[in-house]
Amino acid sequence: MEENNMAKQTWLITGVSSGFGRSMTTQLLEAGNTVIGTVRNTTKVQDLVDDYPDTFICETLDVTDVPAIHQLVDQLAATHTIDVLVNNAGYGLFGAAEELGDQDVDKIIATDLTGSIQMIRSVLPHMREQGHGRIIQISSYGGQVAYPGNSMYHAAKFGIEGFCESVAQEVAPFNIGVTIVEPGGARTEFRYGSAQVANLMPAYDDNPAHAFLAMLDPANGLAPGDPNRMAARIIESVDQTPAPLHMVLGSDALAKTIARLQDRVAEYQAETDLAASTDFPAGE
């Protein structure tokens, strides 16, 4: 990747031990940027610590620990200008809603939704004071399109997208841009390593809720998305002004997103008379 005007920026990225976080971190470091990467297990990034002792800063963080988020961001902002925040930490949870335990529900909301919200809230005062910043939220086309067997993942992604769309309007006057990244399937640990599956119930066998089992098996074909190419497009987006609010990665993901949005518009248009029937008559 050629060096450009991003070369001296400092990026704060959560979850850099694998997947998009790892790919982005490697490309950014190779281009001369400074990356503050958070992990839960430092051994997975020891090679980056060794290879980039001056520009890779490894921090241990569990994004479900809200006080730790605030403490770390404030500590980092005291010595660094955080130009870009990338909320990347997260995981997939599969299973019918009835098959999920209470702890399953609480954990994925704390990780995929609340953790991202609190990272953004923590960094905003510092970006506002410095007069610039870019927030990149890794979501999924599953933040727009819902499938059976993914209810809590969709709950987190639909939720973080609504949060980011609102925040983007709030912070634009401070020269802070927000981009929601919506990748399709990619060949990362998200699908083939870190995905978590509920305690499956026989009642849901041969039910659409268990269709995900075929997707998680590499023997049925690998995901089309290249995480390195996706990471490169995410990095390049920081040069775009204004920041793109949504960025879909993967042609299949884009086609499915557009189809769902078109269906949704048609569903709402069909309710025109119903919606109007609840208004006071004109003049009243």
Coordinates of all heavy atoms in Angstrom, one line a residue, residues 108-160:
I108 N -23.3 -11.0 24.3 CA -23.2 -10.5 22.9 C -23.6 -9.0 22.9 O -23.0 -8.2 22.1 CB -23.9 -11.3 21.9 CG1 -23.4 -10.9 20.5 CG2 -25.4 -11.2 22.0 CD1 -23.8 -11.8 19.4
I109 N -24.6 -8.6 23.6 CA -25.0 -7.2 23.7 C -23.9 -6.4 24.3 O -23.5 -5.3 23.8 CB -26.3 -7.0 24.5 CG1 -27.5 -7.6 23.7 CG2 -26.6 -5.6 24.8 CD1 -27.8 -7.0 22.4
A110 N -23.3 -6.9 25.4 CA -22.2 -6.2 26.0 C -21.0 -6.0 25.1 O -20.3 -5.0 25.1 CB -21.8 -6.9 27.3
T111 N -20.7 -7.0 24.3 CA -19.5 -7.0 23.4 C -19.8 -6.3 22.1 O -19.1 -5.3 21.8 CB -19.1 -8.4 23.1 OG1 -18.9 -9.2 24.3 CG2 -17.8 -8.4 22.2
D112 N -20.8 -6.7 21.4 CA -21.1 -6.2 20.0 C -21.8 -4.8 20.0 O -21.7 -4.1 19.0 CB -21.8 -7.2 19.2 CG -21.0 -8.4 18.8 OD1 -19.9 -8.6 19.4 OD2 -21.4 -9.2 17.9
L113 N -22.5 -4.5 21.0 CA -23.3 -3.3 21.1 C -22.8 -2.3 22.1 O -22.3 -1.2 21.7 CB -24.8 -3.6 21.3 CG -25.7 -2.3 21.4 CD1 -25.6 -1.5 20.1 CD2 -27.2 -2.8 21.6
T114 N -22.9 -2.6 23.4 CA -22.5 -1.7 24.4 C -21.0 -1.3 24.3 O -20.6 -0.2 24.5 CB -22.9 -2.2 25.8 OG1 -24.2 -2.6 25.8 CG2 -22.6 -1.2 26.9
G115 N -20.2 -2.3 24.1 CA -18.8 -2.0 24.0 C -18.4 -1.0 22.9 O -17.6 -0.1 23.2
S116 N -19.1 -1.1 21.8 CA -18.8 -0.1 20.7 C -19.4 1.2 21.1 O -18.7 2.3 20.8 CB -19.5 -0.6 19.4 OG -18.8 -1.7 18.9
I117 N -20.5 1.2 21.7 CA -21.1 2.5 22.1 C -20.2 3.2 23.1 O -19.9 4.4 22.9 CB -22.5 2.3 22.7 CG1 -23.5 1.9 21.7 CG2 -23.0 3.5 23.5 CD1 -24.9 1.5 22.2
Q118 N -19.7 2.5 24.0 CA -18.8 3.1 25.1 C -17.5 3.5 24.5 O -16.9 4.6 24.9 CB -18.7 2.2 26.2 CG -20.0 1.9 27.0 CD -20.6 3.1 27.7 OE1 -20.1 4.2 27.5 NE2 -21.7 2.9 28.4
M119 N -16.9 2.8 23.5 CA -15.7 3.2 22.9 C -15.9 4.6 22.2 O -15.1 5.5 22.3 CB -15.2 2.2 21.9 CG -14.6 0.9 22.5 SD -13.1 1.2 23.4 CE -12.0 1.9 22.2
I120 N -17.0 4.7 21.5 CA -17.3 5.9 20.8 C -17.5 7.1 21.7 O -17.0 8.2 21.6 CB -18.5 5.7 19.8 CG1 -18.2 4.8 18.7 CG2 -19.0 7.1 19.3 CD1 -19.4 4.4 17.8
R121 N -18.3 6.8 22.8 CA -18.6 7.9 23.8 C -17.3 8.3 24.5 O -17.1 9.5 24.8 CB -19.6 7.4 24.8 CG -21.0 7.2 24.3 CD -21.9 6.8 25.4 NE -22.1 7.9 26.4 CZ -21.6 7.8 27.6 NH1 -20.9 6.8 28.1 NH2 -21.8 8.9 28.4
S122 N -16.4 7.4 24.7 CA -15.1 7.8 25.3 C -14.2 8.6 24.5 O -13.5 9.5 25.0 CB -14.4 6.5 25.8 OG -15.1 5.8 26.7
V123 N -14.2 8.3 23.2 CA -13.2 9.0 22.3 C -13.8 10.4 21.8 O -13.0 11.3 21.4 CB -12.9 8.1 21.1 CG1 -13.9 8.2 20.0 CG2 -11.5 8.5 20.5
L124 N -15.1 10.5 21.8 CA -15.6 11.8 21.2 C -15.2 13.1 21.9 O -14.8 14.0 21.2 CB -17.2 11.7 21.3 CG -17.9 10.9 20.2 CD1 -19.4 10.9 20.4 CD2 -17.5 11.4 18.8
P125 N -15.1 13.2 23.2 CA -14.6 14.4 23.8 C -13.2 14.8 23.3 O -12.9 16.0 23.1 CB -14.6 14.2 25.3 CG -15.6 13.0 25.5 CD -15.5 12.2 24.3
H126 N -12.4 13.8 23.1 CA -11.0 14.1 22.7 C -10.9 14.5 21.2 O -10.2 15.4 20.9 CB -10.1 12.9 23.0 CG -10.2 12.4 24.4 ND1 -9.6 13.1 25.4 CD2 -10.7 11.3 24.9 CE1 -9.8 12.5 26.6 NE2 -10.5 11.4 26.3
M127 N -11.7 13.8 20.4 CA -11.8 14.2 19.0 C -12.4 15.6 18.8 O -11.9 16.4 18.0 CB -12.6 13.2 18.2 CG -11.9 11.9 18.0 SD -12.8 10.7 16.9 CE -11.6 9.4 16.7
R128 N -13.4 15.9 19.6 CA -14.0 17.2 19.5 C -13.0 18.3 19.9 O -12.9 19.3 19.3 CB -15.3 17.3 20.4 CG -16.0 18.6 20.5 CD -17.3 18.5 21.2 NE -17.2 17.8 22.5 CZ -16.8 18.3 23.6 NH1 -16.3 19.6 23.6 NH2 -16.7 17.6 24.7
E129 N -12.3 18.1 21.0 CA -11.3 19.1 21.4 C -10.2 19.3 20.4 O -9.7 20.4 20.2 CB -10.7 18.7 22.8 CG -11.7 18.8 23.9 CD -11.2 18.3 25.2 OE1 -10.0 18.0 25.3 OE2 -12.0 18.2 26.2
Q130 N -9.8 18.2 19.8 CA -8.7 18.3 18.8 C -9.1 18.8 17.4 O -8.3 19.2 16.6 CB -7.9 17.0 18.6 CG -8.7 15.9 18.0 CD -8.2 14.5 18.2 OE1 -7.5 14.2 19.2 NE2 -8.4 13.6 17.3
G131 N -10.5 18.9 17.2 CA -11.0 19.5 16.0 C -11.1 18.6 14.8 O -11.4 19.0 13.7
H132 N -10.9 17.3 15.0 CA -11.1 16.3 13.9 C -11.1 14.9 14.4 O -10.7 14.6 15.6 CB -9.9 16.5 12.9 CG -8.6 15.9 13.4 ND1 -7.7 16.6 14.2 CD2 -8.0 14.7 13.3 CE1 -6.7 15.8 14.5 NE2 -6.9 14.7 14.0
G133 N -11.5 14.0 13.6 CA -11.5 12.6 13.9 C -12.4 11.8 13.0 O -13.2 12.3 12.3
R134 N -12.1 10.5 12.9 CA -12.9 9.6 12.1 C -13.3 8.4 13.0 O -12.4 7.8 13.6 CB -12.2 9.2 10.9 CG -12.9 8.3 9.9 CD -14.1 9.1 9.3 NE -13.8 10.2 8.5 CZ -13.6 10.3 7.2 NH1 -13.7 9.1 6.5 NH2 -13.2 11.4 6.5
I135 N -14.5 8.0 13.0 CA -15.0 6.8 13.7 C -15.4 5.8 12.6 O -16.3 6.1 11.8 CB -16.1 7.1 14.6 CG1 -15.6 8.0 15.7 CG2 -16.7 5.8 15.2 CD1 -16.7 8.7 16.6
I136 N -14.8 4.6 12.7 CA -15.2 3.5 11.8 C -15.8 2.4 12.6 O -15.1 1.8 13.5 CB -14.0 3.0 11.0 CG1 -13.5 4.1 10.1 CG2 -14.4 1.8 10.2 CD1 -12.2 3.7 9.4
Q137 N -17.1 2.1 12.4 CA -17.8 1.0 13.1 C -17.9 -0.2 12.2 O -18.6 -0.1 11.2 CB -19.2 1.5 13.5 CG -20.0 0.5 14.2 CD -19.4 0.0 15.5 OE1 -19.0 0.8 16.4 NE2 -19.2 -1.3 15.7
I138 N -17.3 -1.3 12.6 CA -17.4 -2.5 11.9 C -18.8 -3.1 12.2 O -19.0 -3.5 13.4 CB -16.3 -3.5 12.1 CG1 -14.9 -2.8 11.8 CG2 -16.5 -4.7 11.3 CD1 -14.7 -2.4 10.4
S139 N -19.7 -3.1 11.3 CA -21.0 -3.7 11.5 C -21.0 -5.0 10.6 O -20.1 -5.8 10.7 CB -22.1 -2.7 11.2 OG -23.4 -3.3 11.3
S140 N -22.0 -5.1 9.8 CA -22.2 -6.2 8.9 C -23.4 -5.9 8.0 O -24.3 -5.1 8.4 CB -22.6 -7.5 9.8 OG -23.1 -8.5 9.0
Y141 N -23.5 -6.6 6.9 CA -24.8 -6.4 6.2 C -25.9 -7.0 7.0 O -27.1 -6.7 6.7 CB -24.6 -6.9 4.7 CG -24.9 -8.4 4.5 CD1 -26.1 -8.8 3.9 CD2 -24.0 -9.3 4.8 CE1 -26.4 -10.1 3.7 CE2 -24.2 -10.7 4.5 CZ -25.4 -11.1 4.0 OH -25.7 -12.4 3.8
G142 N -25.6 -7.8 8.0 CA -26.5 -8.2 9.0 C -27.1 -7.1 9.9 O -27.9 -7.4 10.8
G143 N -26.6 -5.9 9.7 CA -27.2 -4.7 10.3 C -28.3 -4.2 9.5 O -29.0 -3.2 9.9
Q144 N -28.6 -4.7 8.3 CA -29.7 -4.3 7.5 C -30.6 -5.5 7.1 O -31.8 -5.3 6.8 CB -29.1 -3.7 6.2 CG -28.3 -2.4 6.4 CD -29.2 -1.2 6.8 OE1 -30.4 -1.2 6.5 NE2 -28.7 -0.2 7.4
V145 N -30.0 -6.7 7.0 CA -30.7 -7.9 6.5 C -30.7 -8.9 7.6 O -29.6 -9.2 8.2 CB -30.0 -8.5 5.3 CG1 -30.8 -9.7 4.8 CG2 -29.9 -7.4 4.2
A146 N -31.8 -9.5 8.0 CA -31.9 -10.4 9.1 C -32.2 -11.8 8.6 O -33.0 -12.0 7.7 CB -33.0 -10.0 10.1
Y147 N -31.5 -12.8 9.2 CA -31.7 -14.2 8.9 C -32.1 -15.0 10.2 O -31.7 -14.6 11.3 CB -30.4 -14.8 8.3 CG -30.0 -14.2 7.0 CD1 -29.0 -13.3 7.0 CD2 -30.6 -14.6 5.8 CE1 -28.6 -12.7 5.7 CE2 -30.2 -14.1 4.6 CZ -29.2 -13.1 4.6 OH -28.9 -12.6 3.4
P148 N -32.9 -16.1 10.0 CA -33.2 -16.9 11.2 C -31.9 -17.5 11.8 O -30.9 -17.7 11.1 CB -34.1 -18.0 10.6 CG -33.7 -18.1 9.2 CD -33.4 -16.7 8.8
G149 N -31.9 -17.7 13.1 CA -30.8 -18.3 13.8 C -29.7 -17.3 14.1 O -28.6 -17.7 14.6
N150 N -30.0 -16.0 13.9 CA -29.0 -14.9 14.2 C -29.6 -13.8 14.9 O -29.1 -12.6 14.9 CB -28.4 -14.4 12.8 CG -27.6 -15.4 12.1 OD1 -26.4 -15.4 12.1 ND2 -28.3 -16.3 11.4
S151 N -30.6 -14.0 15.7 CA -31.4 -12.9 16.2 C -30.6 -12.0 17.1 O -30.8 -10.7 17.0 CB -32.6 -13.5 17.1 OG -32.2 -14.3 18.1
M152 N -29.8 -12.5 18.0 CA -29.1 -11.6 18.9 C -27.9 -10.8 18.2 O -27.6 -9.7 18.5 CB -28.5 -12.3 20.1 CG -29.6 -12.7 21.1 SD -30.7 -11.3 21.5 CE -29.6 -10.1 22.1
Y153 N -27.3 -11.5 17.2 CA -26.3 -10.8 16.4 C -26.9 -9.6 15.6 O -26.4 -8.5 15.6 CB -25.6 -11.8 15.4 CG -24.6 -11.1 14.6 CD1 -23.3 -10.8 15.1 CD2 -24.8 -10.9 13.2 CE1 -22.3 -10.2 14.4 CE2 -23.8 -10.3 12.4 CZ -22.5 -10.0 13.0 OH -21.6 -9.4 12.3
H154 N -28.1 -9.9 15.0 CA -28.8 -8.8 14.3 C -29.3 -7.7 15.3 O -29.2 -6.5 15.0 CB -30.0 -9.4 13.6 CG -29.7 -10.3 12.4 ND1 -28.8 -9.9 11.4 CD2 -30.1 -11.5 12.1 CE1 -28.7 -10.9 10.6 NE2 -29.5 -11.9 11.0
A155 N -29.7 -8.1 16.5 CA -30.1 -7.1 17.5 C -29.0 -6.1 17.8 O -29.1 -4.9 17.8 CB -30.6 -7.8 18.8
A156 N -27.7 -6.7 17.9 CA -26.6 -5.9 18.2 C -26.2 -5.0 17.0 O -25.9 -3.8 17.2 CB -25.4 -6.7 18.6
K157 N -26.2 -5.6 15.8 CA -25.8 -4.8 14.6 C -26.9 -3.8 14.2 O -26.5 -2.7 13.8 CB -25.5 -5.8 13.5 CG -24.3 -6.6 13.8 CD -23.0 -5.8 14.1 CE -21.8 -6.7 14.3 NZ -20.6 -5.8 14.7
F158 N -28.2 -4.1 14.2 CA -29.2 -3.1 13.9 C -29.1 -2.0 15.0 O -29.2 -0.8 14.6 CB -30.6 -3.8 14.0 CG -31.1 -4.4 12.7 CD1 -30.4 -5.5 12.2 CD2 -32.2 -3.9 12.1 CE1 -30.9 -6.1 11.0 CE2 -32.6 -4.5 10.9 CZ -32.0 -5.6 10.4
G159 N -28.8 -2.3 16.2 CA -28.7 -1.3 17.3 C -27.5 -0.4 17.1 O -27.7 0.8 17.2
I160 N -26.4 -0.9 16.8 CA -25.2 -0.1 16.6 C -25.3 0.8 15.4 O -24.8 1.9 15.4 CB -23.9 -0.9 16.6 CG1 -22.7 0.0 16.9 CG2 -23.7 -1.6 15.3 CD1 -22.7 0.8 18.2

